[in-house]
């Protein structure tokens, strides 16, 4: 074993009411550096594309877990903020959204907590199927027990277009639902954040286990089996499982 390395065969990630379990056939090493000399190797264009794709996949997974770790029924709200004009300037849209956050926080008397996902309108829901590529935001607000005053919000906080609230029914994995809106392929987000978030959010809890994780113990605690599959990559075979509890 490499100096300072530890091994694990099982890993759990708990995000609110969702638990992800990964059991590995071969032991996984962690706690060491792959490149101790600090030397950099020149990446090919293909390597860069693979790295970007992997980075975006990891970001999507992180956003999903972050939302689930903070979402609570009754005190979380789902908003959609749209423009009446065909706004395609992402930098302007991000500035407008941050102004909205500051104004709403001032109105409530405390700093709001949120995760916001920008999306480019593709026109798939329009009759003519022609998209404007206009930017809009899907936002989940945390810790908002009172009702959202949409009239006030439209007149004073988000004056650029419409504000809508959507209630999720029978949705146990809110993070997975919202990350469907992520556009991981658009060149417009290269070099920019693909999501916006506030400070002070709860983080998912990750644990590594030297032995495979016993799924039965969570089923006995009232969790339900939502998904299971086995994946094979270049170095390992992973049994991946998602469990959930009712919100």
């Amino acid at each position: 074993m490499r100096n300072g390395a530890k091994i694990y065969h099982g890993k759990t990630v708990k995000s609110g009411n969702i638990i992800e379990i990964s059991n590995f056939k071969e032991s996984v090493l962690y706690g060491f550096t792959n490149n101790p000399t600090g030397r950099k190797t020149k990446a090919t264009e293909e390597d860069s594309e693979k790295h970007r794709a992997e980075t975006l996949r990891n970001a999507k997974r992180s956003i999903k877990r972050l939302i689930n770790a903070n979402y609570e029924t009754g005190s979380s709200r789902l908003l959609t903020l749209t423009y009446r004009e065909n706004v395609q300037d992402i930098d302007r849209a991000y500035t407008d959204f941050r102004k909205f956050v500051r104004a709403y926080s001032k109105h409530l008397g405390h700093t709001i907590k949120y995760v916001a996902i920008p999306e480019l309108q593709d026109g798939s829901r329009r009759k003519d199927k022609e998209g404007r590529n206009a930017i809009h935001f899907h936002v989940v607000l945390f810790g908002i027990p009172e009702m959202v005053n949409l009239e006030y919000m439209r007149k004073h906080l988000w004056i650029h277009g419409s504000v809508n609230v959507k209630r999720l029914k029978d949705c146990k994995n809110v993070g997975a639902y919202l990350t469907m809106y992520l556009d991981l392929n658009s060149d417009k987000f290269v070099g920019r954040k693909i999501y916006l978030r506030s400070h002070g959010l709860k983080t998912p809890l990750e644990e590594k286990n030297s032995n495979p994780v016993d799924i039965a113990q969570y089923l006995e605690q009232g969790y339900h089996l939502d998904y299971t599959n086995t994946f094979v990559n270049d170095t390992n075979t992973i049994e991946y499982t998602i469990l959930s509890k009712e919100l």
Side-chain angles (χ1 to χ4, degrees), residues 59-82:
K60 182 175 183 177
R61 183 165 55 242
S62 297
I63 300 166
K64 178 176 62 178
R65 291 171 176 173
L66 185 66
I67 292 172
N68 286 333
N70 290 273
Y71 189 88
E72 294 180 354
T73 301
S75 63
S76 299
R77 300 287 185 270
L78 301 175
L79 302 180
T80 302
L81 307 176
T82 62

Side-chain angles (χ1 to χ4, degrees), residues 27-44:
S27 59
V28 179
L29 293 173
Y30 72 103
F32 68 94
T33 303
N34 279 324
N35 188 15
T37 63
R39 295 178 181 175
K40 296 182 179 180
T41 58
K42 186 176 180 180
T44 65

Side-chain angles (χ1 to χ4, degrees), residues 215-227:
I215 297 175
Q217 64 176 312
Y218 293 104
L219 297 176
E220 292 174 357
Q221 296 173 22
Y223 282 88
H224 304 284
L225 179 64
D226 288 344
Y227 175 82

Side-chain angles (χ1 to χ4, degrees), residues 60 64-65 67-68 171 173-181:
K60 182 175 183 177
K64 178 176 62 178
R65 291 171 176 173
I67 292 172
N68 286 333
C171 183
N173 195 328
V174 179
Y177 173 81
L178 283 177
T179 51
M180 290 192 304
Y181 294 112

